[in-house]
Amino acid sequence: MSAQPPVRARILDAAALLFYTEGIRAVSADRIIAAAGTTKVTFYRHFRTKEDLVVAYLRAQSERIRAAAGNLDPDPCTGLLELATAMGEETCVPGFRGCPFINAAAEFPDAGSPVRTVVREHRNWLHAQVRGRLEQLGALNPDTLADQLLMLRDGAMVHGYVADPAGVTDALISGGRAILEHALS
């Protein structure tokens, strides 16, 4: 018989599943406590507030994405293609409900909230990853170009959730190529 994961990890795992599938505001702390098989006292010992739990959830998502990005090809063009492919394919995974950061930003409209701070930090990191590769390619305005590619990515994430995700990967890649070809020509 294998040991259960530590209680903090169980709480985070339960929250991640419920937040992503049902929405952050729709899920009560009591539901997370029950799903994690813990008590309120233990829950609040690890997370003083539900917002603290949301911040931890988003940080864990960011760490997962950053770890995966560490495996991208160092060639800027190949790495961007791999990134677009991974993002497009993510929209085809059963149960896909959009980008957890876009979803969290929609549920926490106050730009000063800790949740929005984590969303901003993650998006700044992602922007820097794309901008760095664009700089390697010699783009004249890599910040603007990175913004355009991330807007395309955001649209693909939303489209993959609200419409048929078939073709999202190809559309994301061809749209990105068109932007790059225009900017780099």
Side-chain angles (χ1 to χ4, degrees):
M1 184 164 133
S2 65
Q4 273 195 323
V7 68
R8 180 178 168 78
R10 288 197 330 262
I11 294 168
L12 268 171
D13 289 347
L17 177 64
L18 291 168
F19 287 164
Y20 189 72
T21 58
E22 298 180 26
I24 295 167
R25 298 245 187 232
V27 176
S28 68
D30 287 338
R31 293 243 348 261
I32 296 165
I33 290 164
T38 190
T39 65
K40 280 187 181 185
V41 170
T42 302
F43 175 88
Y44 287 110
R45 188 178 307 132
H46 290 280
F47 303 99
R48 286 185 359 204
T49 66
K50 183 179 172 187
E51 190 172 56
D52 289 341
L53 176 60
V54 174
V55 166
Y57 154 68
L58 290 172
R59 285 201 171 122
Q61 295 300 308
S62 185
E63 289 170 15
R64 176 184 61 79
I65 292 166
R66 290 173 192 229
N71 296 321
L72 294 174
D73 193 294
D75 175 76
C77 210
T78 304
L80 284 172
L81 180 60
E82 289 174 348
L83 185 61
T85 301
M87 290 177 180
E89 288 174 352
E90 184 179 343
T91 67
C92 297
V93 173
F96 179 75
R97 292 190 37 96
C99 170
F101 298 94
I102 293 172
N103 295 348
E107 292 196 52
F108 289 83
D110 177 5
S113 83
V115 170
R116 288 297 290 266
T117 298
V118 175
V119 169
R120 220 174 3 265
E121 289 169 355
H122 178 76
R123 291 194 59 88
N124 288 342
W125 168 83
L126 185 56
H127 187 275
Q129 296 300 303
V130 173
R131 184 191 68 234
R133 289 177 181 274
L134 295 170
E135 287 171 347
Q136 289 178 295
L137 290 171
L140 294 179
N141 196 343
D143 278 320
T144 299
L145 194 51
D147 286 342
Q148 292 170 346
L149 291 173
L150 290 177
M151 282 189 267
L152 184 63
R153 173 258 182 212
D154 292 346
M157 293 281 117
V158 173
H159 182 82
Y161 176 53
V162 300
D164 182 2
V168 169
T169 302
D170 291 339
L172 180 59
I173 290 170
S174 66
R177 278 194 173 124
I179 290 170
L180 287 173
E181 286 172 6
H182 176 70
L184 297 174
S185 60

